[in-house]
Amino acid sequence: MQIFMFSKVYSAALNGLDAYLVRVEADINDGMPQLLMVGYLSSEVREAGDRVRTALRNTGIVLPPKRITVNLAPAGIRKAGSRFDLPVAAVILAALERIPGESLQNVMLAGELSLSGQVLPVPGILALVEEARAEGIRRCIVPAQNAAEGAVLEEVEVIGVSSLAELMEVLRHPEQAVRERVDVGQVLKEQVSLQEADFAQVNGQAGAKRAAEVAAAGMHNLLLMGPPGAGKTMIAKRIAGILPPVSLEEALEITKIYSVAGLLPERTSLLTGRPFRAPHHTVTPEALAGGGRIPSPGEISLSSGGILFLDELPEFKRSALEILRQPLEERRVCVSRTAGTYVFPAKCMLVAAMNPCACGYFPDRGRCICTEQEVSRYLGKISRPLLDRIDICMEVSGISYEELTEKQENESSAVIRKRVEAAHRMQQERYEGLPIHFNAYLNGKQVETYCFLGSRERSLLKNAFGKLNLSARAYYKIIKTARTIADLEQEERIGEEHLLEALRYRLPGESYWGRGV
């Protein structure tokens, strides 16, 4: 019997964090026996033909000696990744009439095949299911290890399969397929902070703890500067513990980022903790901002919704630090390649720590052994434009023996978190309907709208602008920080005391950054 059959099904490809539909078509006809893959394919997609052929044979299905053509459309967009194995196998099975062709209608498939016919997990399933929902597709068949991840979107029926034989059974009897279910509300309710570090463990350093609270309340970038052993890293690692629990919107975005990056643990439905990323100072610019042959999220995107901590800031490569300037300003990373532009979010809070000089004790001339030129050279590793993007700078002084050993009741992270949560609620109400949620994200026009200043406050800022030689960016950051300080006190109006505290969080003067820097 001659076979002249055509079939198709939907899959999806990734472009940054977004997915786009790919139509997978198969045609079996007379001709030289071969399995031909077309459609502007990367090498791993082109190799899918051999994987599928072997997986089918090991499942008990031998391909006939026919010309089998598989097309992935649209042909003008390059396809990459191993997620097309499963849809390619499905359309070939439908063309061979081993499964009903109508079972592939309004269905999206994604998954990698092993040579034995097992279905292996692939990255980016949440983004693929989200695209299926947007396109009106209501059933997705994915690897069993990825099913919980896709099932957080309740409008789509997600079915997990672990083998090619199981896929065939699901497509032959779709009414009997078991849909993966996730109670998203319960998952969010059960989120527990994994932060064992607590601010109650930090003695002294009241100023630094206050700066950390203000930064967390408005998601402001923070720089802690002081001698070694003063507690900079200790404080930075506790900031994640005072941030409020993530919302469903934030949890979905965090989960999608980690899924696309291939860092989501198997059988995980939703990441409900705020990320805390602390890359080593040898990190490359590409690893920090994102990139690669097939661009993937970097550390700044993996920190979205949480904290990117850069310890020993001057030890990072200048090129790596400078690449942060645009993402910190625009809250996104754009990676351009010949194949297109990839956009990743960068909605993180940057927390950095540094010593004031190579030995760490400047300006204490009783302990510092660095010359003025060495201090200038050390501080000069960090450019002024980058420093201008840091809202709060706090000098952390050394701690005394009495402060270190004194038995005292310090405020816990839970107590501080309540104030931060109250400030976040004020911002959410204020910016309802806007694409921003925090004071740190305000642009110049929005500052004028939402951060009203009276005549006395404007006069204070005018004097500070001239005396401190502020840039326009620094001017607006002071106002945004003052707005957060007022929110922490549940004040609708920014007062002089709020501006004065915000001004204290600007960079130290000539004692640190000398005239040559």
Side-chain angles (χ1 to χ4, degrees):
M1 181 181 73
Q2 287 191 335
I3 299 176
F4 301 95
M5 291 296 296
F6 169 84
S7 66
K8 71 174 182 179
V9 75
Y10 287 109
S11 188
L14 291 173
N15 183 350
L17 282 195
D18 299 320
Y20 57 90
L21 277 186
V22 172
R23 191 171 66 253
V24 183
E25 305 168 332
D27 177 82
I28 301 180
N29 217 314
D30 289 333
M32 182 178 293
Q34 64 174 324
L35 200 167
L36 182 64
M37 301 276 296
V38 297
Y40 194 12
L41 314 176
S42 66
S43 58
E44 61 267 24
V45 180
R46 200 173 298 280
E47 292 165 355
D50 291 329
R51 288 194 296 272
V52 168
R53 183 196 300 275
T54 307
L56 286 170
R57 185 178 67 244
N58 289 328
T59 308
I61 299 170
V62 179
L63 296 182
K66 299 287 183 179
R67 179 183 176 89
I68 303 174
T69 305
V70 177
N71 177 46
L72 276 66
I77 302 177
R78 191 169 187 268
K79 325 299 184 306
S82 58
R83 66 185 62 85
F84 298 106
D85 292 9
L86 205 60
V88 168
V91 290
I92 291 175
L93 287 168
L96 290 172
E97 297 186 331
R98 302 300 292 264
I99 59 172
E102 58 270 18
S103 66
L104 298 181
Q105 293 179 7
N106 204 34
V107 173
M108 176 185 283
L109 283 87
E112 181 180 343
L113 284 173
S114 72
L115 299 184
S116 65
Q118 295 299 303
V119 179
L120 306 176
V122 293
I125 288 296
L126 180 55
L128 271 58
V129 174
E130 194 174 62
E131 174 65 10
R133 180 182 64 176
E135 294 293 337
I137 296 172
R138 290 296 173 259
R139 173 173 289 179
C140 294
I141 302 176
V142 301
Q145 293 96 321
N146 295 131
E149 169 192 348
V152 297
L153 301 176
E154 297 179 350
E155 302 90 335
V156 182
E157 183 179 277
V158 176
I159 299 169
V161 295
S162 56
S163 66
L164 201 48
E166 189 177 344
L167 171 69
M168 294 171 63
E169 191 63 26
V170 165
L171 292 174
R172 285 169 180 163
H173 307 286
E175 70 284 351
Q176 299 178 11
V178 178
R179 174 184 174 181
E180 185 79 17
R181 297 185 183 278
V182 174
D183 188 340
V184 175
Q186 188 62 29
V187 172
L188 286 174
K189 259 186 213 176
E190 292 174 354
Q191 60 178 302
V192 179
S193 175
L194 299 178
Q195 297 288 327
E196 296 180 0
D198 196 290
F199 269 104
Q201 302 159 346
V202 182
N203 286 351
Q205 304 299 3
K209 288 192 281 190
R210 170 64 176 176
E213 179 181 340
V214 174
M219 294 300 284
H220 298 284
N221 299 325
L222 170 67
L223 173 63
L224 299 171
M225 183 163 52
K232 303 184 295 297
T233 302
M234 188 177 185
I235 291 169
K237 288 183 176 179
R238 283 157 175 75
I239 296 176
I242 63 175
L243 291 173
V246 297
S247 64
L248 176 58
E249 179 187 354
E250 289 175 312
L252 286 172
E253 183 170 65
I254 293 168
T255 304
K256 188 158 69 167
I257 293 169
Y258 276 73
S259 175
V260 168
L263 299 176
L264 190 68
E266 288 184 11
R267 303 188 185 279
T268 299
S269 60
L270 206 60
L271 292 178
T272 58
R274 292 194 179 274
F276 182 89
R277 305 288 296 187
H280 191 261
H281 62 76
T282 56
V283 66
T284 64
E286 293 76 15
L288 195 57
R293 185 178 62 86
I294 301 173
S296 61
E299 291 291 341
I300 192 169
S301 296
L302 293 170
S303 307
S304 273
I307 292 172
L308 174 64
F309 177 48
L310 303 183
D311 201 3
E312 304 296 344
L313 189 64
E315 301 301 327
F316 284 78
K317 294 178 183 176
R318 179 77 175 253
S319 58
L321 293 179
E322 292 305 301
I323 209 169
L324 294 176
R325 285 161 57 175
Q326 179 259 344
L328 290 177
E329 195 74 18
E330 299 182 6
R331 306 290 171 181
R332 62 176 191 158
V333 178
C334 295
V335 181
S336 296
R337 294 289 183 270
T338 53
T341 300
Y342 302 78
V343 180
F344 301 106
K347 302 172 186 175
C348 68
M349 174 182 165
L350 173 66
V351 179
M354 62 176 287
N355 297 329
C357 66
C359 76
Y361 295 107
F362 184 80
D364 182 357
R365 281 308 183 183
R367 304 175 73 186
C368 180
I369 60 172
C370 300
T371 65
E372 289 188 9
Q373 291 77 12
E374 288 172 335
V375 173
S376 294
R377 192 180 307 115
Y378 185 80
L379 296 176
K381 294 179 180 180
I382 309 167
S383 70
R384 277 288 183 170
L386 177 62
L387 290 169
D388 230 12
R389 286 164 170 80
I390 296 176
D391 306 26
I392 298 174
C393 177
M394 187 67 202
E395 185 176 354
V396 183
S397 58
I399 189 167
S400 68
Y401 176 80
E402 289 73 22
E403 288 176 316
L404 185 64
T405 58
E406 184 182 3
K407 300 286 185 183
Q408 53 182 301
E409 286 290 329
N410 299 314
E411 272 194 322
S412 69
S413 292
V415 172
I416 300 173
R417 190 189 309 119
K418 287 181 181 179
R419 294 197 295 267
V420 173
E421 286 177 345
H424 278 216
R425 283 194 296 272
M426 283 192 72
Q427 293 166 67
Q428 289 165 4
E429 292 171 6
R430 182 184 303 124
Y431 308 131
E432 187 176 1
L434 296 177
I436 61 171
H437 300 94
F438 305 108
N439 293 328
Y441 297 173
L442 293 169
N443 60 34
K445 185 176 180 181
Q446 291 166 337
V447 167
E448 296 294 333
T449 304
Y450 296 102
C451 301
F452 175 78
L453 299 178
S455 58
R456 295 176 65 180
E457 289 77 23
R458 289 189 177 277
S459 176
L460 173 63
L461 265 185
K462 181 179 179 181
N463 291 334
F465 191 87
K467 289 181 180 179
L468 300 178
N469 196 24
L470 299 175
S471 67
R473 183 181 287 112
Y475 169 81
Y476 284 114
K477 286 191 178 298
I478 289 170
I479 297 176
K480 289 188 283 188
T481 304
R483 175 68 269 170
T484 299
I485 296 168
D487 288 344
L488 277 170
E489 297 179 6
Q490 299 294 292
E491 296 283 351
E492 288 293 340
R493 189 184 180 91
I494 298 174
E496 285 182 287
E497 66 277 13
H498 306 137
L499 283 171
L500 286 170
E501 182 176 352
L503 284 165
R504 286 199 296 270
Y505 294 140
R506 294 310 300 161
L507 288 172
E510 294 297 323
S511 63
Y512 277 105
W513 264 268
R515 282 185 295 274
V517 182

